[in-house]
Amino acid sequence: MKSNLYEKKAQIFKALSNPVRLEIIDLLADGEKCVCEIVEKLNYEQPHISKSLLKLKDAGLIRDRKEGLNVYYSLKICCMKDFLKCIDKILDNTTN
């Protein structure tokens, strides 16, 4: 049972281990975004963004909703924003 919990935690960290996916999480920390907005802001090809979004969704980090032809994504858990700030603090301390 405990092993399963660590496997799920590892899945989350694997999803976050990609720079593009981290950029997406950072972008979604400011609020819900349409896929077209994510593609435009991050300047990656749409299929690459879609694969990254699926990986983040499978890890339980984001959720989606469909409105007409558009799909909107948002963070599933609000503490993700604080987690990223914590990582930034760690990085600030290692560079000083």
Side-chain angles (χ1 to χ4, degrees), residues 25-26 28-31 75 77-88:
I25 291 288
D26 202 33
L28 294 178
D30 292 331
L75 293 180
I77 49 171
C78 59
C79 65
M80 199 64 215
K81 195 172 186 175
D82 292 333
F83 177 72
L84 292 176
K85 285 180 185 177
C86 183
I87 296 297
D88 289 343

Side-chain angles (χ1 to χ4, degrees), residues 53-88:
L53 288 166
L54 181 60
K55 192 86 159 175
L56 292 168
K57 185 179 173 189
D58 287 346
L61 296 170
I62 63 173
R63 68 174 141 242
D64 65 344
R65 70 175 182 86
K66 193 166 183 166
E67 189 175 297
L69 297 175
N70 293 321
V71 180
Y72 293 85
Y73 286 88
S74 60
L75 293 180
K76 194 169 183 180
I77 49 171
C78 59
C79 65
M80 199 64 215
K81 195 172 186 175
D82 292 333
F83 177 72
L84 292 176
K85 285 180 185 177
C86 183
I87 296 297
D88 289 343

Side-chain angles (χ1 to χ4, degrees), residues 1-88:
M1 184 85 156
K2 200 174 196 181
S3 175
N4 190 30
L5 177 64
Y6 289 113
E7 287 174 18
K8 289 180 180 182
K9 286 180 181 182
Q11 181 184 10
I12 290 169
F13 282 107
K14 283 179 189 176
L16 294 172
S17 69
N18 177 284
V20 175
R21 293 192 291 263
L22 284 173
E23 285 184 76
I24 291 170
I25 291 288
D26 202 33
L27 186 62
L28 294 178
D30 292 331
E32 182 181 73
K33 302 282 185 286
C34 175
V35 173
C36 57
E37 291 177 86
I38 297 169
V39 169
E40 182 181 313
K41 290 196 184 257
L42 298 186
N43 203 27
Y44 293 102
E45 296 291 324
Q46 191 272 333
H48 187 62
I49 295 293
S50 292
K51 287 178 190 175
S52 294
L53 288 166
L54 181 60
K55 192 86 159 175
L56 292 168
K57 185 179 173 189
D58 287 346
L61 296 170
I62 63 173
R63 68 174 141 242
D64 65 344
R65 70 175 182 86
K66 193 166 183 166
E67 189 175 297
L69 297 175
N70 293 321
V71 180
Y72 293 85
Y73 286 88
S74 60
L75 293 180
K76 194 169 183 180
I77 49 171
C78 59
C79 65
M80 199 64 215
K81 195 172 186 175
D82 292 333
F83 177 72
L84 292 176
K85 285 180 185 177
C86 183
I87 296 297
D88 289 343

